[in-house]
Amino acid sequence: DDIYEQIKNYTISSSDLYISIAGTIGKSGIIPVELDGANLTENACKLVYKTKNISNRYVYYYTQTNLFKEQIFDKTKMAAMPKLALTRLATIKLLVPSLSEQERIVAKLDKAFEAIDKAKTIAETNLKNAKELFESALNKAFTENTDGWKEKTLDKACKKISAGGDKPEKFFKKNTEIYSVPIYSNGIENDGLYGYTDVPSIIDEAITISARGTIGFVCKRTKPYYPIVRLISAIPNDYINIDFMVYALQFMVPTGNGSSIPQLTVPMLKNKMIKYPSLSEQQNIVEKLDALQEQTKQLEQIYTQKIKECDELKQSILQKA
């Protein structure tokens, strides 16, 4: 009750529009009827119109335009936590035609955006299905028809499993003639490439597994490299195809971020069990999964592009409006 007394003046209604002014700047939305009477935190503000000749949905659509966003970021105080002052927000210019013209524009945008959202939803569903298609095939490869496969701990199936340490004293962000050995850390972007040094710590073909931050990202390394920040490296024994082990680790190691999954350690990885058939059968499985992965990557690129085009089309329509 004492908290409510402090914030009761900051109530919102379905006739208001909210805009985030701290952290994520400029995110806006119309208050749903179910939240009439709810309270705002200090990270957001509400717009209350001085006249009835303003359409709430018209202003909402305006806040989605690049014209509005450019003004927002031009007036945002950049700090550790970005903040948009209300006095600055008040100076942002808004183009306002007659109410009937606002309503005509809103009706057209509602119709266009409904069609675009349907197309985007279909593309997002297809993207999700493409990813799940490969995951399903990966699961089947390591759970069905595995009678007669051998089973060992990763510790025994690998020549070496180790974690990277601190970054080397001598390193550069760009590849040079002397500093040409890649340094890899935990991460997905650019396969975790951090920089370059002159001496590798892993010489053999190996597999890296992200153990912190983005956990479970598995990548094959074909050239000598230098792992850092506890990035785990695994070198399989000769009786296990390295590409087969890459897929096996993708199947075995849960993926996620540091907030949802604890960090992965070398002892945890060493104790995991791996099942494997003969080398010829391993090669057959790799070839099938390679082919399917290539197909799914192509599909993912197509649907990712479609989603991007939907967002760009919205901006194009808003600009014309």
Side-chain angles (χ1 to χ4, degrees), residues 26 28-29 59-66 68-69 113 315 318:
S28 60
V59 180
Y60 166 72
Y61 276 128
Y62 186 80
T63 61
Q64 305 302 302
T65 65
N66 287 331
F68 175 80
K69 291 173 183 176
F113 278 32
Q315 279 302 320
L318 283 169

Side-chain angles (χ1 to χ4, degrees), residues 136-146 149 244 251 285 289:
S136 175
L138 186 66
N139 289 336
K140 286 182 179 180
F142 290 95
T143 56
E144 295 183 3
N145 303 317
T146 60
W149 287 24
F244 177 85
F251 168 72
I285 291 170
L289 289 175

Side-chain angles (χ1 to χ4, degrees), residues 155 161 163 232 264-272:
D155 187 28
I161 299 178
I232 296 177
L264 189 63
T265 64
V266 169
M268 289 167 61
L269 197 64
K270 282 183 174 182
N271 289 327
K272 287 187 176 292

Side-chain angles (χ1 to χ4, degrees), residues 22 30 32 38 43 52 58 73 90 92 98 116 149 164 202 254 263 277 293 308 319:
I30 294 171
N43 292 335
K52 292 183 179 180
Y58 173 82
F73 290 109
I92 289 176
S98 65
I116 294 171
W149 287 24
I202 303 289
Q263 71 174 9
Q293 188 172 57
K308 181 182 176 184
Q319 189 67 23

Side-chain angles (χ1 to χ4, degrees), residues 130-315:
K131 290 179 178 179
E132 289 179 349
L133 176 66
F134 180 75
E135 290 298 322
S136 175
L138 186 66
N139 289 336
K140 286 182 179 180
F142 290 95
T143 56
E144 295 183 3
N145 303 317
T146 60
D147 292 343
W149 287 24
K150 294 180 181 179
E151 187 173 23
K152 290 184 179 180
T153 62
L154 278 172
D155 187 28
K156 292 183 178 178
C158 292
K159 296 176 184 177
K160 180 181 179 182
I161 299 178
S162 60
D166 297 331
K167 60 188 178 185
E169 290 184 8
K170 297 179 180 179
F171 77 93
F172 286 88
K173 286 295 184 181
K174 292 185 178 180
N175 189 351
T176 68
E177 186 175 345
I178 297 175
Y179 295 93
S180 59
V181 176
I183 302 169
Y184 293 113
S185 63
N186 295 283
I188 293 178
E189 188 175 351
N190 207 12
D191 287 341
L193 182 64
Y194 181 85
Y196 297 89
T197 189
D198 54 347
V199 179
S201 59
I202 303 289
I203 298 174
D204 298 324
E205 268 198 339
I207 302 165
T208 58
I209 308 100
S210 292
R212 291 184 179 181
T214 304
I215 296 169
F217 173 62
V218 179
C219 195
K220 178 183 173 183
R221 309 295 183 185
T222 59
K223 296 179 180 179
Y225 66 97
Y226 195 109
I228 60 171
V229 199
R230 301 300 171 202
L231 177 70
I232 296 177
S233 297
I235 302 172
N237 278 312
D238 296 336
Y239 52 81
I240 296 186
N241 181 301
I242 190 169
D243 295 302
F244 177 85
M245 183 168 277
V246 167
Y247 285 127
L249 287 169
Q250 288 177 356
F251 168 72
M252 294 161 55
V253 181
T255 57
N257 56 52
S259 61
S260 61
I261 299 176
Q263 71 174 9
L264 189 63
T265 64
V266 169
M268 289 167 61
L269 197 64
K270 282 183 174 182
N271 289 327
K272 287 187 176 292
M273 303 298 294
I274 179 172
K275 293 182 72 174
Y276 60 94
S278 65
L279 274 171
S280 60
E281 180 61 21
Q282 290 176 43
Q283 185 60 38
N284 288 337
I285 291 170
V286 166
E287 289 174 1
K288 289 177 182 178
L289 289 175
D290 279 350
L292 182 59
Q293 188 172 57
E294 182 62 29
Q295 292 174 3
T296 54
K297 280 184 177 178
Q298 290 176 2
L299 289 173
E300 286 174 21
Q301 289 175 354
I302 291 170
Y303 295 127
T304 299
Q305 180 61 28
K306 286 183 180 293
I307 292 168
K308 181 182 176 184
E309 288 170 356
C310 285
D311 292 333
E312 290 174 348
L313 182 56
K314 279 189 174 183
Q315 279 302 320

